[in-house]
Amino acid sequence: MPHLLIYGDSNTHGTLPMPDGRDAGVLAPEERWAGHLAAGLGAGWRVTVEGLPGRTTVRDDPVEGAWKNGATVLPAILQSHAPLDAVAIMLGTNDLKARFSMGAEDIARALESLLGMVARFTPGARRMLICPPPVAEVGPFAEIFEGAAMRSGRLPARIGAAAARSGAAFFDAGQVVAPDAAEGVHFGAEAHAALGRALVGPVEALG
């Protein structure tokens, strides 16, 4: 039975859109995109989900905390869930926050370094980068993500190139889903379902 680890941020965690800025809770595990993916893969796969709201690729967050740094905890997570047959990473949205001043190429290179960690700590595991859809600068997070709309539009090409350099699979989530139109960052339930269904085939190809 192939064992897949999904490593992501709030959109993997299932955080619901907050158009008025107030916490709206989270989707049930089976309603999140990873849950839909697991259902589509069926009993022949084991799926482990590690989604942390605010998680970055390689940066400590001076506002939300150093533990948001995806590079800091990834080795421990890889080893705690071993053995792994495949690892899918969907990060990069939080790196677009204005406080980090990261461009698309910086984010892609950071993701490439995470792929290197996967190769080091789980040799032989197949790897996939999932590019998050573009951010919209609307709603309560518009100022936090100032300038992110333009930079996130460049992510698919940059992250796709990083995956190719590392010998990893690539999937552009922006071809399938978009964040909530009134909030600009988080996925609604329908987007979660659509993304999970769309990933079944690409993930099966990893196995």
Side-chain angles (χ1 to χ4, degrees):
M1 177 185 293
H3 184 191
L4 167 69
L5 171 69
I6 295 172
Y7 193 59
D9 53 27
S10 57
N11 276 322
T12 297
H13 183 71
T15 301
L16 284 164
M18 297 172 268
D20 60 0
R22 292 181 293 182
D23 184 3
V26 297
L27 290 167
E30 67 273 12
E31 296 176 308
R32 303 170 195 175
W33 69 263
H36 287 281
L37 171 59
L41 292 171
W45 282 75
R46 177 185 171 195
V47 179
T48 297
V49 184
E50 285 280 356
L52 174 68
R55 177 175 280 151
T56 68
T57 53
V58 299
R59 301 290 296 272
D60 291 354
D61 192 317
V63 176
E64 297 187 40
W67 59 90
K68 300 295 186 177
N69 186 330
T72 300
V73 299
L74 180 58
I77 286 174
L78 291 170
Q79 292 185 319
S80 67
H81 292 299
L84 294 165
D85 299 288
V87 178
I89 299 172
M90 187 169 77
L91 290 174
T93 297
N94 289 299
D95 299 76
L96 293 164
K97 291 173 179 175
R99 69 180 71 127
F100 295 119
S101 300
M102 290 183 75
E105 182 63 18
D106 294 328
I107 294 169
R109 295 284 178 176
L111 286 165
E112 193 171 356
S113 74
L114 297 185
L115 289 177
M117 290 184 183
V118 175
R120 176 185 174 190
F121 290 100
T122 55
R126 276 79 73 192
R127 301 166 299 162
M128 172 184 281
L129 289 182
I130 303 170
C131 179
V135 168
E137 294 173 52
V138 297
F141 304 116
E143 185 173 352
I144 292 173
F145 283 91
E146 186 176 3
M150 180 182 68
R151 288 179 286 125
S152 60
R154 298 170 179 159
L155 283 177
R158 303 295 192 276
I159 294 177
R165 287 192 298 268
S166 299
F170 172 73
F171 185 87
D172 181 8
Q175 295 297 309
V176 180
V177 299
D180 180 79
E183 193 243 37
V185 177
H186 298 105
F187 305 162
E190 291 184 3
H192 275 273
L195 180 57
R197 290 193 299 264
L199 277 164
V200 172
V203 169
E204 285 179 332
L206 296 176

